[in-house]
Amino acid sequence: MSSVFRIILQRIALGVLTLFIVSIVIFTAVNMLPGDFAQAILGQAATPEAIAAIRQDLGLDQPPVSRYITWLAGAVQGDLGSSFAQANFASFVGESTGGGEVTVATQIAPRFANTMFLAGVTACIAVPFSIFLGVLAALYRNSAFDKAANVFTLSSISSPEFFLAYVLILFLAVLNPVLPSLSNIYEGMGFGERLQKTLLPALTLTLVVTAHMMRMTRAAIINLLASPYIEMARLKGISPLRVIVRHALPNALAPIINVVALNLAYLITGVVVVEVVFVYPGIGQLFVDGVKNRDIPLVQACCLIFAAAYILLNLTADIMSLLSNPRLRHPK
Amino acid sequence: MTDLLLKIRGLKIEGRADEMWQPIINGVDLDLHKGEVLGLIGESGAGKSTIGLAGMGFTRDGVRISSGSVEFDGIDLVKASAETKRKLRGTRIAYVAQSAAASFNPAHKLIDQHTEAPVQHGVMSRGEGAADAVDLYRRLRLPNPEEIGFRYPHQVSGGQLQRAMTAMAMSCRPDLIIFDEPTTALDVTTQIEVLAAIRDIVEQFDTAAIYITHDLAVVAQMADRIKVLLQGDEVEEAETREMLSHPKEDYTKSLWAVREFKRPQKPAVDSGAVPVVSVRKVTAAYGPVKVLRNVSFDIHEGRTVAVVGESGSGKSTAARCITGLLPPLAGSIMVDGVEMPADYRKRSKDQLRQVQMIYQMADTALNPRKTIGEIIGRPVQFYMGLRGRDRRRRVEQLLDEIELPADQYFDRLPSELSGGQKQRIGIARALAAEPRFIICDEVTSALDQLVAEGILKLLARLQDELKLSYMFITHDLATVRSIADEVVVMKEGQVIEQGPKDEMFRPPHHAYTDLLLSSVPEMDPDWLTNLLAERGVDNVGDAAVDKMG
């Protein structure tokens, strides 16, 4: 077991290192975005003094390295900074609204929770569905069912997400009004209602992510079907379904887990279009708004969360594939 | 006879190759009675396994039964539905595969795999099956029968796995078991235990069996009758003793004769001669695990030193130390009395040239994307500096040496060659460096006997012509007998015994050498019985284990 722990610790250390490198890349990239927040908020008529004042107030006049260090030190302690766009610049323009600072964390938290909820619902539908479909496709390989499953998943992954979303809205909200077409969820909503409102975007995303997972399941299983131990199982008179589920699937888990992790990461980081179509208040929209407003702390924080999600999911996948190997779980 | 269990008539099987159906089996008949053991022998490509699997109504992907019938207890398996065949498999007909290590599912414990067939077929409950498994493990003389089933396949040695697989085949007490080369992948000492265990259990339960092998001596111990196959056709069939003493067909006779190739012992080396290669007190390790301990031996000009031992004894590691692939922890490698740098990266081109290797798997040792001309031409250019027309001429010369016509083979790819031809290319590639010394690592063990004999004869001739020295790594003592001048016996990283071949094959031996030598199956059908009696039948497995430590 000690070797497993050592490998896991290694992976975690590598994950942390990766996150650190990614933080540098994020910071550099965001700061290379054209445009300037102070310019953007004050408009064309701004005086150089006003711009300089805002820049100074936000720390934008500091050299990049020291800004990076301040940001990283804050982020490590859980302080992602304050949003530029929500900050109160009233003093600069001679008005007073009396509002306090809005931190990035309070802005992101509810949105991120919503995104996780959507990703979670989607994963609960998509992962079992894809693996089930993949197992059946492997069992009835080269049959009409196999081909139909391939055509169905491939065409859904090849269609743009908004198109899938509108098709689902057409069939499930307009022609047969069983689900709401708007997913305007809010705080304090009951779980049942929240789930109902989330179902349509979750189904859209399921269509998007099923193909990879299903095809990898199918391929990983079929890849093993020529193994001597599969032949042995067949020669023991084991039923075809059991041969696949009990003999092939446990040995095919590693690649399947990795593809599942990649798709889950996509669900957390890449669903802006679906959020927009269903007016779902997820983190994707917030991120896009942040980029539009040159709201640097918000954009950086979103990027960091996306990167952390990718790294964490891949790390989990790595560890789970390691643990799916009986040689590592049960050393001699 | 009324107790006919398996009746195969006019069986024709085809395999798909290059988008065409090619015949594999051209109409074979086979009869097997209850409780009888039939040996199927032949070289690779003879169709032994295909017939064995067809006996279960099974064909591999890309293979089909085109005509004929396979009647098992009155049921024609060629016409039977998939469901009918599935219900027979595991319960009434079982299969024991060549590599138990590959044929056990790595993800499940042995006992779960053992009880799967009886539980799935509704023969026993899981508890009954598990109790029966322990009983079978005990009958097959597996160590710790109560506990061994709860291990995963990778936690159990090859010989034990092979016995566990035989136990698994027995789980539903089938009428027929197909044994497909069950001991081919095992060391000789382990092979004996497995052979004895299989023979015992088949007798105890009066199970009929088809025993597939390419090893005549093994089949002689196991079978009541032997059927010889050649490229999908039956050559002849007879009772075992009859077949061994009076083979009728020329092909059978040639198979029998292979074992008689033997080079005469060469005179002793002058005491003052400097050995071509001298391994001096070498200790080596992979990480923290020491695999060689204080190993020393010499190889003289024009001589063949056979290094023998079971898998894991350190034979191949010694070769890796000589080539510099694995720098030893202590000790030195001398070539012509000059110490070589331990790491091959520090050796000069000329030093590298002196020591060449031929590998066991010619299949994987040749780059599949290069033509023969390129494969042999590369060392010609690298070591000898020949280019263009000179290089081509030299390659042609080398092809001539290994008895392959240059004009036919120069532009071919390895995939277009047979196993024996590929191994010849491996030899030519080693010769291209014009070495003094060649390491032959199990070069014949993947080849059929007749082909292997051709390779051995070629190596012998090249040795005489070019004064080459060979280090011959092998676990096959028949090969040692035929070509070695001197023998080094290794066990657990140490040299147990070494000396001239004739001395080594004459008693008294070191206890371990004796165990190795006496474990090599002989063509006498009573050999195994006598040997077991000599060693004490009940503890053959334990005795071997004790001796091996």
Side-chain angles (χ1 to χ4, degrees), chain A residues 116-328:
Chain A
M116 290 302 284
F117 185 74
L118 175 58
V121 172
T122 311
C124 286
I125 302 171
V127 174
F129 176 66
S130 324
I131 291 178
F132 178 71
L133 214 56
V135 165
L136 287 187
L139 181 61
Y140 302 112
R141 56 197 170 282
N142 306 327
S143 69
F145 171 80
D146 180 23
K147 281 168 192 151
N150 267 309
V151 167
F152 170 68
T153 53
L154 278 180
S155 27
S156 61
I157 201 177
S158 318
S159 313
E161 289 164 41
F162 67 83
F163 174 73
L164 290 175
Y166 288 135
V167 170
L168 284 183
I169 290 175
L170 177 67
F171 284 104
L172 295 176
V174 179
L175 297 179
N176 310 294
V178 286
L179 289 171
S181 64
L182 286 185
S183 309
N184 51 343
I185 60 173
Y186 49 84
E187 238 171 303
M189 200 179 223
F191 178 79
E193 200 186 342
R194 183 183 274 250
L195 186 64
Q196 197 201 9
K197 292 217 165 185
T198 310
L199 221 43
L200 216 41
L203 285 178
T204 312
L205 289 171
T206 300
L207 289 179
V208 176
V209 294
T210 297
H212 282 151
M213 294 193 277
M214 173 255 168
R215 287 168 61 82
M216 181 53 91
T217 306
R218 178 185 181 277
I221 289 175
I222 288 180
N223 200 18
L224 289 179
L225 290 184
S227 322
Y229 58 82
I230 297 296
E231 184 174 283
M232 190 71 218
R234 293 165 72 188
L235 291 174
K236 273 157 70 180
I238 305 303
S239 69
L241 179 63
R242 191 177 159 90
V243 166
I244 285 186
V245 173
R246 175 145 176 99
H247 289 275
L249 193 57
N251 295 294
L253 279 181
I256 298 174
I257 289 171
N258 277 301
V259 168
V260 168
L262 274 180
N263 280 287
L264 293 187
Y266 163 78
L267 289 179
I268 294 174
T269 61
V271 298
V272 179
V273 175
V274 173
E275 282 178 16
V276 170
V277 172
F278 292 99
V279 202
Y280 187 90
I283 199 171
Q285 280 199 49
L286 186 69
F287 175 64
V288 171
D289 290 344
V291 173
K292 246 190 296 186
N293 297 332
R294 304 285 178 268
D295 193 346
I296 291 173
L298 182 67
V299 173
Q300 283 173 347
C302 287
C303 286
L304 204 59
I305 287 173
F306 293 162
Y310 253 97
I311 290 168
L312 202 65
L313 279 164
N314 277 301
L315 188 68
T316 316
D318 263 9
I319 292 171
M320 282 174 66
S321 339
L322 280 176
L323 292 180
S324 78
N325 182 347
R327 282 165 200 274
L328 282 167

Side-chain angles (χ1 to χ4, degrees), chain B residues 238-427:
Chain B
E239 299 290 317
T240 300
R241 279 169 203 281
E242 174 72 16
M243 182 70 98
L244 291 176
S245 49
H246 301 103
K248 290 198 188 69
E249 300 296 322
D250 288 344
Y251 175 71
T252 318
K253 286 178 191 158
S254 75
L255 278 180
W256 268 226
V258 171
R259 298 190 150 249
E260 286 153 21
F261 171 65
K262 184 174 186 284
R263 301 189 85 196
Q265 175 86 51
K266 290 186 186 134
V269 182
D270 298 341
S271 55
V274 177
V276 172
V277 170
S278 177
V279 177
R280 301 233 177 127
K281 296 189 172 162
V282 164
T283 297
Y286 292 118
V289 188
K290 272 196 185 160
V291 281
L292 285 186
R293 289 194 207 96
N294 212 11
V295 167
S296 300
F297 56 87
D298 291 341
I299 301 168
H300 286 273
E301 180 169 58
R303 300 299 168 119
T304 302
V305 172
V307 179
V308 299
E310 303 179 2
S311 52
S313 60
K315 304 172 303 232
S316 294
T317 310
R320 287 172 64 86
C321 287
I322 295 174
T323 53
L325 287 169
L326 179 71
L329 293 178
S332 57
I333 308 293
M334 321 275 278
V335 172
D336 285 327
V338 180
E339 184 169 343
M340 300 281 264
D343 190 331
Y344 75 96
R345 280 166 286 209
K346 299 197 177 102
R347 293 186 186 176
S348 70
K349 200 181 261 192
D350 199 52
Q351 283 172 327
L352 288 172
R353 189 180 63 77
Q354 304 281 351
V355 178
Q356 293 295 314
M357 262 193 97
I358 309 170
Y359 299 87
Q360 175 175 7
M361 305 300 290
D363 258 337
T364 50
L366 302 180
N367 186 335
R369 293 186 183 278
K370 301 270 183 204
T371 63
I372 303 309
E374 288 170 317
I375 289 171
I376 304 175
R378 167 78 188 143
V380 167
Q381 183 170 336
F382 180 76
Y383 288 117
M384 315 317 290
L386 299 180
R387 286 170 189 282
R389 194 171 299 164
D390 289 343
R391 171 175 143 165
R392 185 174 176 112
R393 199 171 301 131
R394 176 66 186 140
V395 172
E396 285 171 354
Q397 217 175 347
L398 285 163
L399 281 170
D400 198 42
E401 292 260 40
I402 56 161
E403 299 155 15
L404 294 179
D407 52 334
Q408 286 176 37
Y409 288 91
F410 194 89
D411 293 316
R412 289 215 207 171
L413 290 169
S415 56
E416 298 168 285
L417 270 55
S418 72
Q421 289 169 337
K422 280 183 223 173
Q423 199 53 285
R424 282 169 190 261
I425 301 300
I427 295 173

Side-chain angles (χ1 to χ4, degrees), chain B residues 60-71:
Chain B
R60 294 199 164 121
D61 285 343
V63 176
R64 68 175 185 196
I65 295 176
S66 54
S67 69
S69 66
V70 178
E71 261 181 49

Side-chain angles (χ1 to χ4, degrees), chain A residues 141 227-229 231-240 242 246-248 250-251 326-327 329-332, chain B residues 53 56 58 60 86 89-90 95 102-108 112-113 116-117 120-121 152 154-155 165 168:
Chain A
R141 56 197 170 282
S227 322
Y229 58 82
E231 184 174 283
M232 190 71 218
R234 293 165 72 188
L235 291 174
K236 273 157 70 180
I238 305 303
S239 69
R242 191 177 159 90
R246 175 145 176 99
H247 289 275
N251 295 294
R327 282 165 200 274
R329 257 184 301 136
H330 309 276
K332 288 201 177 185
Chain B
L53 289 170
M56 306 183 75
F58 183 88
R60 294 199 164 121
R86 190 172 76 71
R89 290 180 194 148
Y95 180 75
S103 295
F104 269 114
N105 191 324
H108 301 296
D112 293 335
Q113 304 193 43
E116 188 177 19
Q120 290 296 311
H121 289 294
Y152 285 85
H154 69 270
Q155 295 170 315
M165 175 158 287
M168 184 161 85

Side-chain angles (χ1 to χ4, degrees), chain B residues 94-198:
Chain B
Y95 180 75
V96 174
Q98 173 166 2
S99 165
S103 295
F104 269 114
N105 191 324
H108 301 296
K109 290 176 188 154
L110 295 183
I111 200 133
D112 293 335
Q113 304 193 43
H114 183 106
T115 54
E116 188 177 19
V119 171
Q120 290 296 311
H121 289 294
V123 178
M124 289 182 208
S125 72
R126 197 182 175 290
E128 288 165 354
D132 187 54
V134 172
D135 177 50
L136 285 170
Y137 292 156
R138 187 172 290 120
R139 286 168 190 264
L140 284 157
R141 291 192 288 272
L142 279 162
N144 305 325
E146 276 88 10
E147 179 268 334
I148 195 165
F150 295 92
R151 296 198 213 158
Y152 285 85
H154 69 270
Q155 295 170 315
V156 179
S157 76
Q160 292 172 1
L161 272 184
Q162 204 70 52
R163 278 182 279 169
M165 175 158 287
T166 306
M168 184 161 85
M170 279 288 174
S171 63
C172 296
R173 303 292 184 276
D175 302 304
L176 168 63
I177 301 185
I178 315 284
F179 289 97
D180 194 352
E181 306 244 15
T183 62
T184 303
L186 305 175
D187 289 318
V188 280
T189 49
T190 321
Q191 170 168 278
I192 296 227
E193 300 161 35
V194 177
L195 289 180
I198 290 177

